[in-house]
Amino acid sequence: MTLVSKQGLPKTAGMLLAVGLLSATLVAQTPAAARYDNQIQTAVMHKLVAKSQFASVRSSVEDGIVTLTGTVDLYQRKLDAAKLARKTASVQGVRNLITVAGANVPDEQLEQKLARKLTYVREGYDSTFDYFALGVKDGVVTVEGQDRTGVGRDEALADIANMPGVKDVIANISIEPTSIFDDGIRLRTARAIYRDPVLSKYAIDPARPIRIIVANGHVTLYGSVDNTMDKTIAGLRANQVFGAFTVDNKLTVEKDSEQSGM
């Protein structure tokens, strides 16, 4: 025979009441979300039908979650379809299972096209202080790098998403910390490099191959130069900049790469 103290009864009753209330809340939430499913499905379907680029896209709704399936011809349209569904009233979330079924482009060719495109991102603005690196595998583009404001990152990702042959995108682009101190180092480093008689030729190229990344006083140089001497001089000039704690010279030498077959 089990004995229960009088003091234990209120505690036990309280626990049972709490469990009951939690179960009732969970049961109540599902119908609350699900009751709009038909309304959401109708609204999303009308939005998709209204745009020819989504002719092969289908949707279903469960508990306020929209699942998109079907095909589109560009990765950007996959993103646009999800955005369209997400903006529909009462939608709790979007599961984007759309397949990009556009042109199949060989990885090497696609990477070359994207590299040329991204070379001129933000041309004429602050592209000297952005850096992006690409990799392509089975149409999936991985882009890494650093950007000072986020504007260059957004332009780069938009260019990638609208390129035929891109099936998916993995973006690992960080935004450099906002700092007046770092901004001063950026400008001083750019002047030191581009005003050097040997390196001034790189300022003529709108792609600006010497990219200057500064984070918390630490300078990293990216891009490509004609020869080893130019790389060395760029590193020396950056190391002479007031306020720079360290300099990591990651410039590649174009002619050396060509000679080695890279």
Side-chain angles (χ1 to χ4, degrees):
M1 182 177 181
T2 303
L3 298 176
V4 180
S5 68
K6 291 182 179 180
Q7 291 181 346
L9 287 173
K11 183 176 181 180
T12 303
M15 291 175 63
L16 291 173
L17 179 61
V19 171
L21 289 173
L22 178 60
S23 300
T25 301
L26 291 174
V27 170
Q29 283 179 344
T30 300
R35 67 179 178 176
Y36 295 109
D37 285 356
N38 291 335
Q39 177 183 330
I40 293 170
Q41 173 64 15
T42 300
V44 172
M45 182 183 67
H46 284 164
K47 288 183 177 182
L48 293 172
V49 169
K51 296 183 179 292
S52 59
Q53 63 264 38
F54 302 137
S56 299
V57 175
R58 302 292 178 264
S59 67
S60 61
V61 185
E62 184 176 356
D63 297 336
I65 306 296
V66 179
T67 298
L68 299 175
T69 56
T71 61
V72 291
D73 59 347
L74 285 175
Y75 180 73
Q76 181 61 56
R77 288 176 179 168
K78 176 177 179 175
L79 300 180
D80 291 342
K83 184 177 180 181
L84 176 150
R86 196 174 292 111
K87 286 188 172 183
T88 303
S90 303
V91 168
Q92 303 299 308
V94 176
R95 186 181 295 112
N96 194 347
L97 303 180
I98 296 172
T99 300
V100 181
N104 291 317
V105 180
D107 288 346
E108 185 177 351
Q109 181 181 340
L110 181 58
E111 186 171 334
Q112 290 174 352
K113 286 183 176 180
L114 287 170
R116 285 196 297 270
K117 188 77 172 177
L118 264 61
T119 295
Y120 295 91
V121 166
R122 299 284 291 159
E123 179 186 343
Y125 294 89
D126 55 357
S127 59
T128 301
F129 308 119
D130 299 339
Y131 174 72
F132 306 111
L134 290 166
V136 181
K137 177 66 175 177
D138 298 328
V140 178
V141 179
T142 300
V143 55
E144 300 180 347
Q146 293 171 291
D147 182 27
R148 189 175 70 86
T149 63
V151 176
R153 174 200 59 188
D154 294 345
E155 286 194 20
L157 293 177
D159 285 342
I160 293 170
N162 283 288
M163 179 69 71
V166 172
K167 305 300 183 182
D168 200 356
V169 178
I170 301 171
N172 296 314
I173 301 173
S174 62
I175 303 300
E176 297 165 43
T178 302
S179 167
I180 296 176
F181 176 68
D182 282 353
D183 282 341
I185 295 174
R186 288 185 186 98
L187 292 174
R188 290 193 292 274
T189 305
R191 293 190 189 109
I193 288 175
Y194 287 112
R195 289 179 181 178
D196 184 280
V198 175
L199 304 176
S200 60
K201 59 186 175 183
Y202 296 110
I204 300 172
D205 187 344
R208 294 181 179 178
I210 300 178
R211 303 295 175 115
I212 301 163
I213 304 299
V214 182
N216 299 319
H218 300 280
V219 179
T220 305
L221 303 181
Y222 290 103
S224 61
V225 290
D226 292 339
N227 50 61
T228 303
M229 183 182 75
D230 289 357
K231 175 179 178 177
T232 301
I233 293 174
L236 288 172
R237 294 291 172 263
N239 271 291
Q240 294 170 350
V241 172
F242 173 77
F245 299 144
T246 62
V247 175
D248 188 2
N249 190 347
K250 293 188 177 182
L251 291 170
T252 60
V253 179
E254 228 171 60
K255 291 181 180 178
D256 287 355
S257 298
E258 292 173 359
Q259 289 171 0
S260 63
M262 293 177 63

